[in-house]
Amino acid sequence: MVEVRRKVLKENDLLARRLRDRFQSAGTRVISLVSSPGSGKTTLLERLLTDLRQDNRVAALVGDLATENDAARLARSGAAVKQITTGTVCHLDAGMVERALSDWPLEELDYLFIENVGNLVCPSSFDLGEDLRLVLVSTSEGEDKPLKYPTIFNTADVAVITKLDMAEAAGIDMDLLVQNIHGVRPGMPIMKVSARSGRGISELEQFLTSTRADLKAAYVQ
Amino acid sequence: MVEVRRKVLKENDLLARRLRDRFQSAGTRVISLVSSPGSGKTTLLERLLTDLRQDNRVAALVGDLATENDAARLARSGAAVKQITTGTVCHLDAGMVERALSDWPLEELDYLFIENVGNLVCPSSFDLGEDLRLVLVSTSEGEDKPLKYPTIFNTADVAVITKLDMAEAAGIDMDLLVQNIHGVRPGMPIMKVSARSGRGISELEQFLTSTRADLKAAYVQ
């Protein structure tokens, strides 16, 4: 099992590297989102697509085990959206992304968002060739998620705390959550947003649209 | 990969059957909990252990990738608790359960709870020999989870809607959530609880402690 898994991961890494080269030469910035089911990936993405497509050419791939509901929701933003249904597979892989992109001319895209299957474990091992991976954690999930799922925080670039509007009802200790994120991943950039109220959204969008150099600088801080 | 996976699942099924026989002959009722990370498994379980141990001999196994935090939390109930840390594995399997039980005399237990790793995908394929599997979904996760993760609902016996106290803040459409559960699994018993306010807890406990025959009857309804 371990042997087979190692081979699968190695093949994925090679494919992801090829994808990353393609994205770079096409000038497409690729941003992926991972989180538990129900952390608000689709709601946040709907907001980001709607806003960013005012001035940019944006598209999204969205992964789920079943249903095309998310693609339908995201299509309301007016952006091009494609659903990848994975069946029983708990994550996207680079091959699925490559196949989904086969008839999309990347040169015509400034931003490509990839919403992974809702899962805090499986997606961590699979590079999708993205420039930036956001890990979302909602205020209603408790403060301990970074400690219990360290790998997903370690393979992401930015933590986004979602459902800020529910923080009080959830009774979350925000300082402790931030402390736990940094306990697992010191210096990780953290953004706080509410897609419902709009709080923090423009800061996140500014962060995502800043140049690659800026992002790397922010990350080192 | 598929071949190897099939072999692993078959071995798990054999082991789970053996466990189920052991539980039955020891007179131990085994109840497992599955859900997304952050749906409130540990908080609910803390409450159930505290209450049930007044009149019963209860214990719990709790699975996580990393940390023994949950075992420490659950131990406050006074029940015997053992943590299983899975490393990078996104679910418990029957072998892990068997090993964790090696030095526990089952005959001295009326109830054994098993809290799975927080995940709506991986645990669905692995029988743990339990009598009853509860799938938790919190009011803050949205109404669409049953549609997007049908397999986990199909392999569970009872759905428990948690965080009832947050339903309003989350703006959930409870009728739609119930409809979606029954869309995937017609007739599935649904319990609604808030471990924080205590609402629905005694009904759930009554449900869990009713005889096995009663449970099967409830399930058929």
Side-chain angles (χ1 to χ4, degrees):
Chain A
M1 193 72 177
V2 173
E3 265 306 304
V4 177
R5 190 176 148 76
R6 198 170 293 151
K7 189 160 167 285
V8 168
L9 286 177
K10 192 171 173 193
E11 279 168 14
N12 186 80
D13 282 347
L14 291 173
L15 210 50
R17 201 180 303 165
R18 204 164 72 198
L19 273 176
R20 189 168 282 114
D21 288 345
R22 276 182 62 197
F23 294 146
Q24 280 190 338
S25 65
T28 309
R29 163 163 286 173
V30 181
I31 299 161
S32 77
L33 291 82
V34 294
S35 80
S36 301
S39 298
K41 287 183 297 301
T42 313
T43 307
L44 176 61
L45 194 48
E46 194 174 349
R47 184 106 198 194
L48 295 176
L49 292 176
T50 304
D51 293 349
L52 292 180
R53 72 182 286 275
Q54 306 303 322
D55 299 312
N56 304 278
R57 299 165 302 174
V58 297
L61 298 177
V62 49
D64 263 313
L65 299 197
T67 84
E68 306 228 329
N69 296 357
D70 284 356
R73 273 173 71 187
L74 292 174
R76 294 193 303 226
S77 68
V81 179
K82 207 178 272 185
Q83 182 91 40
I84 304 174
T85 42
T86 63
T88 57
V89 178
C90 52
H91 58 86
L92 295 178
D93 64 34
M96 296 176 194
V97 171
E98 189 176 54
R99 282 190 295 280
L101 291 175
S102 61
D103 54 352
W104 272 3
L106 283 180
E107 307 69 39
E108 294 172 16
L109 281 184
D110 298 315
Y111 291 94
L112 173 67
F113 288 89
I114 304 176
E115 180 184 334
N116 217 316
V117 176
N119 202 301
L120 279 185
V121 185
C122 318
S124 59
S125 311
F126 289 85
D127 185 0
L128 304 179
E130 66 269 67
D131 295 300
L132 204 67
R133 181 175 289 197
L134 312 183
V135 57
L136 276 58
V137 55
S138 81
T139 56
S140 59
E141 284 171 59
E143 300 89 358
D144 60 350
K145 291 301 154 291
L147 305 179
K148 291 167 103 180
Y149 302 89
T151 312
I152 199 92
F153 282 82
N154 274 311
T155 56
D157 302 291
V158 180
V160 181
I161 301 174
T162 60
K163 305 194 189 182
L164 214 52
D165 56 292
M166 284 178 62
E168 205 176 327
I172 192 153
D173 180 340
M174 194 66 88
D175 291 341
L176 181 58
L177 175 56
V178 167
Q179 183 186 316
N180 286 342
I181 293 171
H182 286 152
V184 167
R185 182 85 182 246
M188 187 175 212
I190 299 175
M191 315 288 296
K192 298 174 188 172
V193 303
S194 164
R196 195 192 271 171
S197 75
R199 204 170 135 202
I201 294 291
S202 63
E203 289 85 346
L204 176 61
E205 289 171 352
Q206 208 170 350
F207 185 84
L208 297 180
T209 54
S210 57
T211 69
R212 196 182 170 99
D214 288 345
L215 278 171
K216 292 288 164 196
Y219 183 62
V220 170
Q221 274 167 19
Chain B
M1 194 70 176
V2 173
E3 266 305 305
V4 177
R5 191 175 148 76
R6 200 170 292 153
K7 189 159 167 285
V8 168
L9 286 177
K10 193 174 172 189
E11 280 169 12
N12 186 79
D13 282 346
L14 292 173
L15 211 50
R17 202 180 303 165
R18 204 164 70 198
L19 274 176
R20 188 167 283 115
D21 288 345
R22 277 182 60 197
F23 294 145
Q24 279 190 340
S25 64
T28 309
R29 163 164 287 174
V30 182
I31 299 161
S32 77
L33 291 82
V34 294
S35 79
S36 302
S39 296
K41 286 183 298 303
T42 313
T43 306
L44 176 62
L45 194 47
E46 195 174 348
R47 185 105 197 195
L48 295 177
L49 292 177
T50 304
D51 293 349
L52 293 180
R53 74 181 284 275
Q54 307 301 322
D55 300 311
N56 304 277
R57 300 164 301 173
V58 297
L61 298 177
V62 47
D64 263 314
L65 299 197
T67 85
E68 307 229 328
N69 297 358
D70 283 355
R73 273 173 71 187
L74 292 175
R76 294 193 302 227
S77 68
V81 179
K82 207 179 271 184
Q83 181 91 38
I84 303 174
T85 42
T86 63
T88 56
V89 177
C90 52
H91 59 86
L92 294 179
D93 63 35
M96 296 176 194
V97 171
E98 189 177 55
R99 282 191 295 280
L101 291 175
S102 61
D103 55 352
W104 271 3
L106 283 180
E107 306 70 37
E108 294 172 16
L109 282 183
D110 299 315
Y111 291 93
L112 174 67
F113 288 90
I114 304 176
E115 181 185 333
N116 217 315
V117 175
N119 204 300
L120 280 186
V121 186
C122 318
S124 59
S125 312
F126 289 85
D127 185 359
L128 304 178
E130 67 269 67
D131 295 299
L132 204 66
R133 181 175 288 197
L134 313 182
V135 58
L136 276 58
V137 56
S138 81
T139 56
S140 58
E141 285 171 59
E143 300 88 357
D144 60 349
K145 292 301 155 293
L147 304 179
K148 290 166 106 180
Y149 302 89
T151 312
I152 199 91
F153 282 82
N154 274 313
T155 58
D157 303 292
V158 180
V160 181
I161 300 175
T162 60
K163 305 193 187 181
L164 214 53
D165 55 293
M166 284 177 63
E168 203 175 329
I172 192 153
D173 181 340
M174 194 67 85
D175 290 341
L176 182 57
L177 175 57
V178 167
Q179 182 186 317
N180 286 343
I181 292 170
H182 285 152
V184 166
R185 182 85 182 247
M188 186 175 214
I190 299 175
M191 314 288 297
K192 298 174 187 172
V193 304
S194 165
R196 197 192 269 171
S197 74
R199 205 170 135 203
I201 295 290
S202 63
E203 289 84 346
L204 176 60
E205 289 171 351
Q206 209 170 349
F207 185 84
L208 298 179
T209 55
S210 57
T211 69
R212 197 184 169 96
D214 288 346
L215 278 170
K216 292 288 162 193
Y219 182 63
V220 169
Q221 273 166 18

